[in-house]
Amino acid sequence: MYALIRAIFFRFEAEKAHYLAMNLFSCCCRIPGLRQWMKRYFHPGEDPLTVSGIRFKNRIGLGAGFDKNARYLDALSVLGFGAVEIGTVTPLPQSGNEKPRLFRLPADQALINRMGFNNDGMAVIASRLRTWRQLHPIGQSDLIIGGNIGKNKETPNERAWQDYEACFLALREWVDYFTVNVSSPNTPGLRALQDKESLRKIFTVLQAQNPQHKPIFLKIAPDLTSEQVSEII
């Protein structure tokens, strides 16, 4: 069955296939009997883990980039994830890089992602999260939601902290934790924010706006030297 479904979706460009698959799956999740069956079928079992005061029901989380705009939280909860990280979210909506920007590597069973922080912007995404939280309040939902935040492409680095602060304020009532993204190679100049002074400014501002003590994680590039990582720490 998987081979047939895969062959059908591979007839579509990769980005279109992604949204087509998730929209179809979301529709299936609205069918009561089918929803219950899928939830049982995909249930991974209990394997709880507590990190920074947050209890995750299991150790399988979905990283940022898959559900950039918090459109599919209900469907993804059916798949059994212990956490879903939405975003990367920027203050203003932006279209991202020119298409095509998602490329299949079938021999490696992999994808290359050059999306460029395409998202609907913090106001729209916060509204979706607010609607989700009406049925799944923080502390009562078994799906942990993370908010991955970044800066708009046109924002100069010296004002990047303002973009992170704006996103933090817009989402802080609706997510369980934050991830500050300074690692994407698809936003010009973003990785320059990995220097010590830029990070100190960003985190100082965010912690000043963090009376609830939401955990804030940092996403850095995977190809930094040991010396660079030490300086960041």
Side-chain angles (χ1 to χ4, degrees), residues 83-213:
V84 171
E85 191 169 299
I86 58 98
T88 296
V89 180
T90 57
L92 300 176
Q94 59 184 29
S95 57
N97 294 328
E98 292 185 7
K99 299 178 182 179
R101 56 197 182 181
L102 188 63
F103 307 93
R104 294 185 180 101
L105 301 177
D108 300 307
Q109 297 183 335
L111 292 169
I112 293 178
N113 165 7
R114 295 174 182 159
M115 306 295 278
F117 284 3
N118 56 307
N119 73 106
D120 293 338
M122 64 184 187
V124 171
I125 294 171
S127 178
R128 291 194 187 112
L129 290 170
R130 185 184 305 113
T131 301
W132 165 263
R133 287 302 184 190
Q134 290 173 359
L135 297 176
H136 309 86
I138 287 181
Q140 300 179 34
S141 173
D142 65 354
L143 180 65
I144 299 301
I145 305 298
N148 187 297
I149 56 177
K151 80 174 189 73
N152 281 114
K153 183 178 181 180
E154 301 303 324
T155 302
N157 279 4
E158 58 269 23
R159 295 210 313 269
W161 64 270
Q162 296 175 337
D163 280 16
Y164 288 96
E165 181 184 33
C167 290
F168 186 88
L169 292 173
L171 303 183
R172 68 179 177 180
E173 298 299 319
W174 318 116
V175 302
D176 297 282
Y177 71 86
F178 282 91
T179 298
V180 171
N181 188 350
V182 291
S183 77
S184 173
N186 300 310
T187 297
L190 186 75
R191 288 191 171 185
L193 296 176
Q194 293 175 130
D195 77 86
K196 184 164 54 179
E197 293 309 316
S198 296
L199 290 175
R200 179 179 286 120
K201 177 64 176 179
I202 291 169
F203 275 88
T204 299
V205 168
L206 296 189
Q207 289 292 36
Q209 301 285 7
N210 193 18
Q212 296 174 311
H213 303 292

